[in-house]
C-alpha cells in the first residue's frame, strides 16, 4: 500500500521523520518495503487558465487560448483527447518554453500552423502520476493564472508499506496513523467529519430477504451478504476536474484521477478504508435500491469499460427500484421479465459498478452507497469474475462494519464543497455484527510471552488500540473496536500486547517444553518418513517433488483413475484436479529429464482417489544400474529393480515378497507379463513392474521403465533380539519341477512351511527349461540352509529333506534328479 508521508504527518503531527520510520513499521508488523521521493514540478510549470478551445481544421489537434498571467495571452496546440471542448475557465499545467522536463527542453514550435508556446502536460509527463490519457486539468479558480505549480504541489515522500492479510484495519491513512499513534503514544487528529445526518434519507433500500449457504463452505454458515447499507444524496454537484489537493493525494497513492465525483469516492477509501460506490440519481429509478442475490441464471452486467460479465445465484447485486410497490427483493427480481438483461443492475456488490448508473460528465445529482458486505461471498465472486480492484482488496480482507455511515457523511461533505446541496437525511438499514468481548487472563498472557508485563500496562496498550477494557484483578474483559475484526481470541490480544510493548523486549530464554500426553509419539510418522527417504536415497534414487494437480487427459493417457477432486479455479487447463495416483507425476518428471542412460527417482506424496486421500511411495527406474559390456541386461531389467526393492526392505529391517499378477489383476499401467503384487512384512501394500509400452511411447520414454507404487505407512513388525547361532550351517540343494505359471514365491513358501524350525533360509540359484523337463514346465533350483544349536548331522537333516520332497510331490510337482 502506498501513502504519502505528508498525509500521515497531518493525522499524527508529532510523527518522526521518514528516516526513523523503518524500524517502527517493522516492529508493528507492517514493514516498510521502500520509500520514493516525488519531486515538485519544475519552476517553469505554471497553472494557466483556458480562455478558448477550438479544433484545428483538418487535424486531430485542438488550439487552446490561455491566460498565463504575467506572460500574457498565449496559444498552444494539443492532441490530448480531453482538450477537445474544454470549457473556459478550466486550468491546466503548462510547461513553458525554456523548461527542462524529463531530460528535454521545451520551447516554441509550429504545429499545423499554430505557434505553440510550450506544452500542456499530463500527470505522467510531469512525473506526478501514472496517467498519460489526457491533460492534467484543475477547476477554475484553483490559483491565479501564472502561479508556479510547485508552490501548490510540494515535494513529498511516498511510503510503500506491506500489509498482511489479517490487518485490514491499516489499509487506509487513518488506520495506519491510528496504529502509529497507539504504538508511539502520540496524539491522533481525526479526519474531518461530514455533515451529521438528521432524519431519513431520500433513498429507499431493501436488503436480501434470504440468506445464502455456500456449497462446500466448511463453516456451513448462512451468509446474508450485506448487514449494513447506507445511502445519502447530494444534488447539484458541479462535476469536472478535482481540486488540486485531491489530485495530488490520489496521485501519490498511485491512483488515477477521473473526475471530481469519482475522485472523492476513491479519496475517502484511501482516507478511511471504506470502499463506496456513487450512482447517477437519474438511473436510481423511483429512488429505490434493491440488494439481493442474482436469481436469474445467465444475468449479464456491463462494466464501465464495456466488458460484459455473467453473474449467477451466489453473486450479490445492487439494482435500481424500477418495480414500484414490490414488497421484497425476491419479488422484484422475479417480476423484471420485461427489463432488458443487465440494464437494471447498478453494480456487483463491492466489486464493480455497472455502466447503468455510472457517474458521467454531466452528472449533477449523486446517490452515495456505503455498505458492509460479506468478505467470503465477495471474494468468491471477484475470483470467478476475475476482477481485483482496490475496493475488492479491502472488502475481501474485511472492513469495519460500522464505518459505512461515517464514510457516506464524509463523501457528502466533500461533494458539498464542490457546490452540491447535501440532503440532511440518511437511509441506513441492517444490523451489523460487532466483535464479541474477550476475556484475557494477565497471568496467561505473561506465561505465553515468557516475560513480565504489568497488568495495568496491558490494559493501557489495549485501550490505546481502541479497545474498551474492564479490569477485575488479573482478568481483563476486552471489547475490541469495530475496525479490529482480527481480534477474536485471547491469543490475539496477547499478540497485540507484545507488538506494542516491543518484540525486542522479549527475553532470550530457552523455551520450557510442556509436552501434552496426547502429543506423545506425534513425531513418529515424520521420523518414519524421513528414515524411508534416507534409505531410498541411499540406493541411488533422487527425490523429486511434483505438483499434486493433474487433468482428465493425463489420467486417460496413463490409465489411472480420473480426478475426483476438482479445482474451482485451476491455474492452467492441464491442472484441473488432484491426482489419483503417484506414478503419473514420476512419468512426467522422467519425460522432462531427457534421454540419459540411467534414471532413478522417487517421490513420497499424497494422492486423492475416490476412496480417500492417502500417502504413497513411488519409485521409477530407467536404464541399467551400472554400465557394463558383459552380458548386457544383467545390470538392469526387472530383476535389478526388484533387487533394489529387496535391498530397501533389508535396510529398513522388513521382509518383502512379490507375487506375480495375472489377467485382470494387472494394473492397466503395467506390462501384462511383468507385474507383481508387493507384500511388505506379509501385508499387501502396492505393486511393481514394467511400464506398459503404449504409455511409455505416449511419454516419449525410450528403453524399459520400471515402476513401484506402495501405500504408506509401510507395515512394521515387532523387533526381537536373538543370539546368533554359533554352529555351522548345513546346505541342501533341491530342484523342483512345476508348471511355468507357478511363481518362485509359491515354491519358496512351500519349502519354508515344510522344512520346520531348523530352516534358516531359502535362496534360488537356477531356473532351467529343456531336456528332462516336460513342455509347459520349468525347474527351479533352490538352496536350503539349516542351522541348529549344535552341528547338524545327516541323520538330522535328511529326514527333514525327505519330508520336504514328499510335500512337493503331494502338491503335484516333481523333483529333478539331474
Amino acid at each position: 500500500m502506498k501513502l504519502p508521508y505528508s498525509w500521515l504527518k497531518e493525522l499524527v503531527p508529532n510523527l518522526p521523520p521518514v528516516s526513523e520510520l523503518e524500524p517502527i513499521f517493522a516492529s508493528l508488523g507492517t514493514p516498510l518495503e521502500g520509500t520514493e521521493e516525488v519531486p515538485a514540478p519544475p519552476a517553469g510549470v505554471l497553472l494557466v487558465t483556458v480562455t478558448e478551445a477550438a479544433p484545428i481544421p483538418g487535424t486531430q489537434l485542438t488550439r487552446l487560448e490561455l491566460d498565463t498571467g504575467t506572460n500574457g495571452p498565449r496559444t498552444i496546440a494539443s492532441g490530448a483527447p480531453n482538450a477537445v471542448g474544454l470549457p473556459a475557465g478550466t486550468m491546466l499545467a503548462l510547461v513553458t518554453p525554456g523548461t527542462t522536463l524529463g531530460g528535454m527542453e521545451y520551447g516554441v514550435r509550429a504545429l499545423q500552423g499554430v505557434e505553440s508556446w510550450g506544452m500542456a502536460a499530463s500527470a505522467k509527463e510531469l512525473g506526478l502520476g501514472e496517467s498519460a490519457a489526457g491533460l492534467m486539468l484543475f477547476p477554475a479558480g484553483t490559483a491565479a493564472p501564472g502561479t508556479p505549480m510547485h508552490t501548490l504541489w510540494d515535494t513529498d515522500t511516498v511510503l510503500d508499506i506491506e500489509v498482511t492479510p489479517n490487518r485490514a484495519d491499516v489499509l487506509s491513512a487513518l488506520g495506519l496513523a491510528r496504529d502509529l499513534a497507539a504504538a508511539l503514544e502520540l496524539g491522533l487528529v481525526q479526519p474531518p467529519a461530514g455533515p451529521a445526518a438528521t432524519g431519513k434519507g431520500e433513498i429507499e433500500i431493501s436488503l436480501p430477504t434470504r440468506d445464502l449457504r455456500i456449497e462446500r463452505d466448511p463453516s456451513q454458515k448462512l451468509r446474508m451478504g450485506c448487514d449494513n447499507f447506507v445511502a445519502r444524496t447530494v444534488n447539484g454537484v458541479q462535476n469536472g476536474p478535482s481540486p488540486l489537493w485531491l489530485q495530488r493525494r490520489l496521485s501519490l497513492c498511485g491512483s488515477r484521477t477521473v473526475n471530481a465525483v469519482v475522485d472523492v469516492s476513491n479519496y475517502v477509501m484511501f482516507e478511511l478504508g471504506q470502499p463506496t460506490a456513487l450512482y447517477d440519481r437519474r438511473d436510481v429509478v423511483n429512488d429505490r435500491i434493491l440488494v439481493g442475490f442474482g436469481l436469474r441464471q445467465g444475468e449479464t452486467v456491463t462494466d464501465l469499460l464495456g466488458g460484459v460479465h455473467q453473474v449467477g445465484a451466489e453473486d450479490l447485486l445492487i439494482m435500481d427500484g424500477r418495480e414500484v410497490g414490490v414488497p421484497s427483493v425476491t419479488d422484484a427480481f422475479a417480476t423484471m421479465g420485461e427489463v432488458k438483461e443487465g440494464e437494471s443492475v447498478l453494480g456487483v456488490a463491492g466489486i464493480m459498478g455497472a455502466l447503468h448508473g455510472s457517474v458521467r460528465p454531466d452528472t449533477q445529482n449523486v446517490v452515495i452507497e456505503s455498505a458492509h458486505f460479506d468478505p467470503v461471498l465477495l471474494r468468491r465472486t471477484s475470483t470467478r469474475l476475475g476482477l481485483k480492484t482496490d475496493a475488492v482488496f479491502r472488502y475481501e480482507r474485511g472492513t469495519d462494519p460500522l464505518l459505512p455511515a461515517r464514510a457516506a457523511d464524509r463523501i457528502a461533505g466533500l461533494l458539498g464543497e464542490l457546490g452540491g446541496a447535501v440532503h440532511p437525511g440518511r437511509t441506513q438499514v441492517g444490523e451489523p455484527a460487532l466483535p464479541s468481548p474477550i476475556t484475557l487472563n494477565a497471568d496467561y498472557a505473561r506465561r505465553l510471552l515468557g516475560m513480565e508485563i504489568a497488568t495495568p500496562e496491558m490494559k493501557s496498550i489495549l485501550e490505546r488500540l481502541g479497545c474498551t477494557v474492564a479490569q477485575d484483578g488479573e482478568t481483563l474483559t476486552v471489547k475490541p473496536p469495530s475496525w479490529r475484526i482480527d481480534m477474536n481470541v485471547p491469543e490475539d490480544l496477547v499478540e497485540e500486547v507484545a507488538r506494542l510493548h516491543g518484540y525486542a523486549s522479549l527475553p532470550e530464554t530457552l523455551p520450557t517444553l510442556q509436552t501434552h500426553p496426547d502429543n506423545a509419539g506425534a513425531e513418529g510418522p515424520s521420523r518414519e518418513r524421513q528414515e524411508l527417504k534416507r534409505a531410498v536415497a541411499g540406493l541411488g534414487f533422487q527425490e523429486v517433488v511434483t505438483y499434486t494437480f493433474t487433468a482428465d487427459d493425463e489420467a486417460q493417457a496413463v490409465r489411472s483413475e480420473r480426478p475426483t477432486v476438482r479445482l474451482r479455479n485451476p491455474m492452467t487447463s492441464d491442472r484441473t484436479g488432484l491426482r489419483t495416483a503417484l506414478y503419473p507425476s514420476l512419468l512426467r518428471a522422467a519425460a522432462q529429464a531427457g534421454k540419459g542412460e540411467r534414471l532413478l527417482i522417487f517421490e513420497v506424496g499424497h494422492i486423492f482417489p475416490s476412496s480417500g486421500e492417502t500417502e504413497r511411495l513411488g519409485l521409477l527406474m530407467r536404464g541399467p544400474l551400472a554400465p557394463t559390456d558383459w552380458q548386457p541386461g544383467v545390470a538392469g531389467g526387472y530383476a535389478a529393480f526388484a533387487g533394489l526393492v529387496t535391498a530397501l526392505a533389508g535396510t529398513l529391517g522388513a521382509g518383502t515378497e512379490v507375487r506375480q499378477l495375472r489377467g485382470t489383476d494387472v494394473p492397466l499401467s503395467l506390462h501384462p507379463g511383468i507385474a507383481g503384487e508387493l507384500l511388505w512384512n506379509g501385508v499387501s501394500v502396492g505393486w511393481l513392474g514394467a511400464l506398459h509400452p503404449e504409455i511409455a511411447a505416449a511419454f516419449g520414454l525410450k528403453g524399459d521403465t520400471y515402476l513401484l507404487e506402495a501405500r504408506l505407512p509401510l507395515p512394521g513388525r515387532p523387533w526381537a533380539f536373538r543370539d546368533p547361532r554359533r554352529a555351522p550351517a548345513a546346505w541342501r540343494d533341491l530342484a523342483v519341477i512345476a508348471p511355468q505359471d507357478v511363481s518362485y514365491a509359491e515354491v519358496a513358501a512351500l519349502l519354508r512351511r515344510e522344512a520346520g524350525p531348523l530352516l534358516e533360509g531359502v535362496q534360488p540359484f537356477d531356473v532351467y527349461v529343456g531336456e528332462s523337463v516336460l513342455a509347459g514346465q520349468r525347474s527351479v533350483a533352490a538352496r536350503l540352509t539349516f542351522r541348529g544349536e549344535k552341528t547338524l548331522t545327516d541323520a538330522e537333516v535328511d529326514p527333514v529333506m525327505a519330508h520336504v520332497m514328499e510335500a512337493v510331490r503331494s502338491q503335484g510337482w516333481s523333483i529333478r534328479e539331474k
Side-chain angles (χ1 to χ4, degrees):
M1 179 182 67
K2 292 183 178 181
L3 278 178
Y5 171 77
S6 61
W7 203 348
L8 290 177
K9 183 74 172 177
E10 180 182 300
L11 299 175
V12 187
N14 295 322
L15 189 67
V18 175
S19 58
E20 299 177 14
L21 288 180
E22 184 173 356
I24 296 174
F25 278 118
S27 68
L28 293 178
T30 50
L32 190 62
E33 293 189 315
T35 60
E36 179 187 1
E37 185 173 295
V38 180
V45 178
L46 307 180
L47 286 174
V48 300
T49 301
V50 176
T51 58
E52 182 185 355
I56 300 176
T59 72
Q60 295 182 341
L61 302 179
T62 301
R63 176 177 55 81
L64 299 176
E65 300 294 339
L66 308 174
D67 178 3
T68 65
T70 57
N71 292 297
R74 296 290 181 177
T75 302
I76 64 168
S78 175
N82 61 343
V84 179
L86 272 180
T90 303
M91 302 198 76
L92 53 79
L94 178 68
V95 183
T96 59
T99 302
T100 300
L101 190 65
M104 184 174 71
E105 182 177 335
Y106 289 83
V108 180
R109 58 176 179 165
L111 292 174
Q112 297 294 332
V114 175
E115 191 176 78
S116 187
W117 195 75
M119 179 191 73
S122 67
K124 188 169 186 178
E125 289 165 333
L126 291 172
L128 304 178
E130 293 300 320
S131 177
L135 303 180
M136 202 169 190
L137 304 177
F138 306 98
T142 297
T147 301
M149 193 172 173
H150 70 81
T151 62
L152 301 175
W153 194 299
D154 198 5
T155 299
D156 208 335
T157 301
V158 175
L159 309 176
D160 191 357
I161 300 144
E162 179 185 347
V163 180
T164 53
N166 65 311
R167 290 302 308 278
D169 62 295
V170 296
L171 286 172
S172 64
L174 174 60
L176 196 60
R178 190 164 45 203
D179 211 43
L180 288 168
L184 302 176
E185 300 186 60
L186 300 175
L188 177 67
V189 177
Q190 291 286 341
T198 56
K200 186 178 179 181
E202 298 179 291
I203 304 298
E204 182 185 352
I205 303 169
S206 297
L207 290 185
T209 58
R210 68 182 181 93
D211 293 340
L212 180 69
R213 190 186 300 278
I214 301 177
E215 240 184 288
R216 291 184 291 278
D217 181 1
S219 69
Q220 290 297 301
K221 178 182 177 182
L222 282 171
R223 301 190 178 277
M224 180 181 180
C226 177
D227 58 7
N228 189 9
F229 196 102
V230 175
R232 283 197 83 163
T233 54
V234 182
N235 301 316
V237 175
Q238 300 299 314
N239 200 7
S242 299
L244 183 144
W245 67 268
L246 180 54
Q247 292 196 44
R248 178 175 181 268
R249 286 215 164 147
L250 288 179
S251 296
L252 293 173
C253 290
S255 179
R256 179 177 64 90
T257 59
V258 181
N259 57 50
V261 175
V262 175
D263 291 351
V264 162
S265 174
N266 290 334
Y267 175 80
V268 171
M269 179 182 66
F270 286 113
E271 181 182 65
L272 302 180
Q274 173 65 45
T276 57
L278 305 186
Y279 304 119
D280 191 315
R281 191 171 177 180
R282 290 173 293 184
D283 294 329
V284 182
V285 182
N286 300 320
D287 280 343
R288 189 178 186 197
I289 291 178
L290 307 175
V291 185
F293 297 105
L295 301 183
R296 288 191 300 162
Q297 292 297 322
E299 179 78 46
T300 58
V301 181
T302 304
D303 63 26
L304 302 179
L305 299 178
V308 178
H309 306 273
Q310 186 169 325
V311 294
E314 291 187 1
D315 301 324
L316 193 66
L317 303 181
I318 313 297
M319 301 188 68
D320 64 31
R322 65 184 61 211
E323 294 296 324
V324 181
V326 175
S328 71
V329 178
T330 303
D331 294 336
F333 274 68
T335 57
M336 284 185 180
E338 70 278 6
V339 180
K340 292 181 181 179
E341 281 192 0
E343 72 172 14
S344 60
V345 178
L346 297 171
V348 181
I351 297 173
M352 56 164 273
L355 190 60
H356 172 66
S358 61
V359 172
R360 303 181 280 277
D362 63 343
T363 296
Q364 293 183 339
N365 302 329
V366 177
V367 177
I368 304 167
E369 170 210 298
S370 184
H372 180 253
F373 298 115
D374 187 303
V376 175
L377 286 176
L378 188 141
R379 181 166 56 248
R380 289 168 61 90
T381 297
S382 68
T383 300
R384 188 176 55 76
L385 296 179
L387 296 172
K388 295 294 181 181
T389 62
D390 286 331
V392 171
F393 187 78
R394 286 159 175 79
Y395 271 131
E396 68 183 3
R397 284 159 173 76
T399 55
D400 182 350
L402 296 185
L403 191 55
R406 178 178 179 179
D409 293 346
R410 176 68 167 136
I411 290 176
L414 290 171
L415 292 179
E417 295 177 10
L418 298 177
V422 181
H423 187 277
R426 180 180 67 204
T427 307
Q428 182 170 5
V429 295
E431 296 181 4
L434 299 178
S436 302
I438 305 169
T439 300
L440 173 64
N441 183 278
D443 289 331
Y444 171 72
R446 285 187 282 268
R447 186 169 67 253
L448 196 63
L449 293 174
M451 65 185 299
E452 287 296 321
I453 302 178
T455 306
E457 183 181 354
M458 293 186 192
K459 182 174 182 289
S460 173
I461 288 174
L462 293 173
E463 288 176 337
R464 297 202 311 263
L465 289 169
C467 300
T468 301
V469 185
Q471 182 177 353
D472 182 10
E474 294 300 303
T475 300
L476 302 177
T477 303
V478 182
K479 184 177 181 182
S482 59
W483 59 83
R484 289 306 301 268
I485 61 173
D486 59 316
M487 291 185 183
N488 299 298
V489 294
E491 289 74 15
D492 294 332
L493 303 180
V494 175
E495 181 183 3
E496 292 301 302
V497 169
R499 190 171 65 90
L500 266 66
H501 182 77
Y503 292 123
S505 303
L506 292 172
E508 295 182 0
T509 57
L510 291 174
T512 301
L513 298 179
Q514 298 178 346
T515 305
H516 194 278
D518 291 346
N519 294 331
E523 77 287 356
S526 177
R527 287 184 176 179
E528 290 179 4
R529 189 181 300 109
Q530 294 304 316
E531 183 181 1
L532 173 64
K533 288 183 178 182
R534 283 194 296 268
V536 177
L539 295 172
F541 288 84
Q542 288 185 318
E543 183 178 9
V544 296
V545 180
T546 63
Y547 285 110
T548 58
F549 306 132
T550 187
D552 288 345
D553 291 345
E554 183 178 71
Q556 183 177 0
V558 299
R559 303 177 183 179
S560 68
E561 180 185 357
R562 292 179 181 271
T564 57
V565 181
R566 303 284 177 173
L567 302 181
R568 272 288 181 90
N569 296 287
M571 294 183 292
T572 59
S573 60
D574 61 341
R575 295 173 184 168
T576 57
L578 299 184
R579 63 190 178 190
T580 58
L582 200 58
Y583 71 89
S585 301
L586 295 175
L587 293 177
R588 196 185 313 124
Q592 295 171 351
K595 301 180 180 179
E597 291 185 1
R598 168 190 168 191
L599 182 67
L600 293 171
I601 57 175
F602 80 97
E603 181 175 11
V604 173
H606 287 256
I607 64 171
F608 305 84
S610 56
S611 57
E613 180 181 357
T614 182
E615 191 175 23
R616 294 289 177 94
L617 165 67
L619 304 181
L620 180 146
M621 184 186 87
R622 187 186 69 197
L625 289 181
T628 177
D629 294 328
W630 178 73
Q631 292 189 354
V634 171
Y638 173 76
F641 185 61
L644 289 174
V645 176
T646 302
L648 174 63
T651 303
L652 298 176
T656 60
E657 181 183 342
V658 178
R659 294 177 179 171
Q660 186 177 2
L661 294 174
R662 302 184 181 90
T664 57
D665 293 334
V666 178
L668 296 177
S669 57
L670 297 184
H671 191 294
I674 311 176
E677 177 188 13
L678 176 64
L679 280 73
W680 191 278
N681 287 332
V683 179
S684 176
V685 296
W687 49 259
L688 74 162
L691 178 65
H692 197 288
E694 293 178 359
I695 300 178
F699 278 81
L701 299 177
K702 304 296 183 181
D704 293 336
T705 300
Y706 299 92
L707 297 171
L708 173 144
E709 188 162 317
R711 184 176 60 254
L712 298 181
L714 295 171
R717 62 181 178 182
W719 287 83
F721 175 77
R722 186 178 64 185
D723 283 333
R725 295 176 178 177
R726 293 177 173 82
W731 294 277
R732 295 291 188 275
D733 292 341
L734 184 66
V736 177
I737 299 176
Q740 289 190 357
D741 60 355
V742 174
S743 67
Y744 165 74
E746 296 176 72
V747 174
L750 183 143
L751 298 180
R752 291 191 184 96
R753 185 175 65 249
E754 302 297 332
L758 293 180
L759 181 69
E760 186 177 75
V762 178
Q763 185 68 36
F765 64 86
D766 182 57
V767 176
Y768 173 76
V769 176
E771 294 182 10
S772 74
V773 177
L774 298 176
Q777 295 189 332
R778 64 175 179 174
S779 168
V780 178
R783 173 161 294 176
L784 284 72
T785 303
F786 297 91
R787 195 188 303 267
E789 297 299 331
K790 58 182 183 66
T791 302
L792 295 175
T793 63
D794 291 342
E796 293 172 303
V797 176
D798 289 345
V800 174
M801 286 300 300
H803 175 74
V804 169
M805 288 187 286
E806 181 62 29
V808 168
R809 295 187 180 96
S810 299
Q811 189 69 23
W813 306 336
S814 59
I815 305 298
R816 182 182 170 202
E817 301 296 339
K818 61 178 180 177

